[in-house]
């Protein structure tokens, strides 16, 4: 099965360091361009699923024009199912675009209530932020019903966090995930990409789609699964 997994796009982030040199707006256009390239790849290669694992935009700064822009992109891939889990920068709150905007019909937005979507050969479980913090979630109680299918979990959170604030951002334990039986855990939140593969279970942070600061060196982009 094929899918594309991205996270932490942070559309319309202020880029305060660049603002002093009048370069912030350029970089915001590069953010738009990066997501456009992802959508074009999906369209050219008929990828059936796109997973966006939180922090798609900045709740405080996002502009209506940017939402219109990405929704128009989503409309260009009507055969691709787009699953979005809200993160701590784009929580599912009352005045958010997730709640008040009419998204393209191929877009599904998860809430903090764990939900399962059954497809032909895969099951997709997802939950996200409903506030700027999430100390607890239901992920420990998930039981996979159909092990014959590919089971995927989408969320935004902190895997085995060690920093003091880790417990505020949906703390998740690798050991609990291992018992859960998911095949692929699609995460967002950590801006550096990382890939963990143990006994066939993959836990993946794609990292931020493009670098969002001088502290985000190294490679950035999307994750593609082809088989
Ligand atoms: Mn983020």
């Amino acid at each position: 099965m094929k899918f594309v997994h991205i996270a932490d796009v942070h559309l319309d982030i202020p880029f305060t360091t660049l603002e002093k040199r009048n370069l912030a707006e350029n970089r915001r256009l590069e953010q738009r361009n990066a997501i456009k390239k992802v959508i074009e790849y999906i369209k050219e290669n008929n990828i059936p699923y796109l997973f966006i694992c939180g922090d798609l935009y900045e709740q405080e700064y996002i502009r209506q024009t940017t939402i219109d822009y990405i929704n128009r992109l989503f409309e260009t891939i009507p055969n691709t199912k787009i699953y979005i889990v809200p993160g701590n920068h784009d929580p599912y709150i009352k005045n958010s675009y997730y709640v008040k905007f009419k998204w393209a019909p191929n877009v599904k937005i998860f809430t903090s209530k764990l939900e399962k979507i059954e497809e032909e050969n895969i099951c997709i479980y997802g939950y996200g932020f409903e506030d700027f913090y999430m100390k607890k979630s239901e992920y420990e109680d998930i039981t996979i019903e159909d092990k014959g299918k590919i089971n995927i979990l989408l969320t935004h959170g902190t895997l085995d966090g060690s920093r003091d604030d880790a417990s505020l951002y949906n703390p998740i334990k690798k050991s609990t995930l291992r018992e859960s039986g998911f095949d692929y855990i699609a995460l967002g939140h950590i801006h550096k990409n990382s890939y963990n593969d143990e006994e066939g279970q993959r836990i993946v942070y794609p990292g931020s789609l493009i670098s969002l600061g001088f502290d985000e060196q190294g490679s950035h982009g999307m994750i593609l699964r082809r088989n």
Side-chain angles (χ1 to χ4, degrees):
M1 76 148 298
K2 293 182 196 169
F3 62 76
V4 164
H5 166 201
I6 61 170
D8 297 281
V9 189
H10 285 270
L11 290 161
D12 285 348
I13 196 170
F15 291 114
T16 41
T17 312
L18 297 177
E19 197 65 79
K20 292 175 200 136
R21 295 171 192 183
N22 288 325
L23 293 170
E25 190 60 17
N26 274 0
R27 194 66 177 145
R28 283 191 287 271
L29 291 173
E30 284 169 4
Q31 289 181 296
R32 284 190 181 196
N33 206 34
I35 194 156
K36 182 168 171 244
K37 278 158 94 176
V38 171
I39 302 297
E40 282 170 356
Y41 182 90
I42 288 171
K43 194 177 168 69
E44 281 160 26
N45 295 279
N46 297 313
I47 308 290
Y49 300 101
L50 168 60
F51 304 140
I52 303 178
C53 292
D55 292 358
L56 173 60
Y57 60 78
E58 288 279 332
Q59 170 64 25
E60 205 182 324
Y61 302 101
I62 186 73
R63 296 169 287 187
Q64 172 84 47
T65 51
T66 304
I67 295 292
D68 291 337
Y69 177 84
I70 54 168
N71 193 53
R72 273 198 304 275
L73 289 176
F74 293 160
E75 284 170 349
T76 65
I77 49 167
N79 301 325
T80 300
K81 290 182 175 161
I82 302 170
Y83 292 107
I84 300 176
V85 288
N88 56 305
H89 286 261
D90 58 348
Y92 193 92
I93 55 177
K94 227 195 303 178
N95 62 342
S96 69
Y97 283 105
Y98 288 143
V99 174
K100 68 184 186 187
F101 186 76
K102 193 170 176 351
W103 294 87
N106 54 329
V107 176
K108 155 80 188 165
I109 297 157
F110 288 89
T111 66
S112 65
K113 183 114 193 71
L114 179 78
E115 231 183 300
K116 180 179 94 168
I117 315 272
E118 280 201 65
E119 299 284 350
E120 206 178 315
N121 51 1
I122 66 170
C123 281
I124 297 162
Y125 295 72
Y127 71 94
F129 279 64
E130 239 171 36
D131 199 349
F132 294 95
Y133 301 99
M134 176 164 44
K135 292 183 187 169
K136 257 187 120 58
S137 75
E138 300 170 76
Y139 92 100
E140 290 179 39
D141 307 324
I142 303 175
T143 40
I144 284 172
E145 285 148 31
D146 192 346
K147 297 215 168 178
K149 291 188 175 182
I150 295 171
N151 290 282
I152 297 176
L153 174 66
L154 314 180
T155 194
H156 185 88
T158 317
L159 185 67
D160 289 342
S162 53
R163 277 171 45 183
D164 291 348
D165 65 356
S167 63
L168 302 175
Y169 301 104
N170 184 26
I172 307 164
K173 285 202 200 86
K174 221 183 268 179
S175 52
T176 311
L177 289 176
R178 203 165 305 136
E179 284 163 28
S180 69
F182 281 105
D183 298 292
Y184 188 97
I185 295 110
L187 296 175
H189 189 53
I190 305 298
H191 288 194
K192 185 176 167 49
N193 60 57
S194 74
Y195 181 92
N196 188 281
D197 191 341
E198 270 171 54
E199 292 163 29
Q201 181 183 67
R202 287 175 190 175
I203 308 176
V204 180
Y205 279 109
S208 42
L209 185 61
I210 63 169
S211 169
L212 299 172
F214 295 106
D215 56 344
E216 295 190 11
Q217 306 281 319
S219 63
H220 290 266
M222 67 179 194
I223 301 290
L224 166 68
R225 181 172 156 149
R226 304 166 204 264
N227 56 10

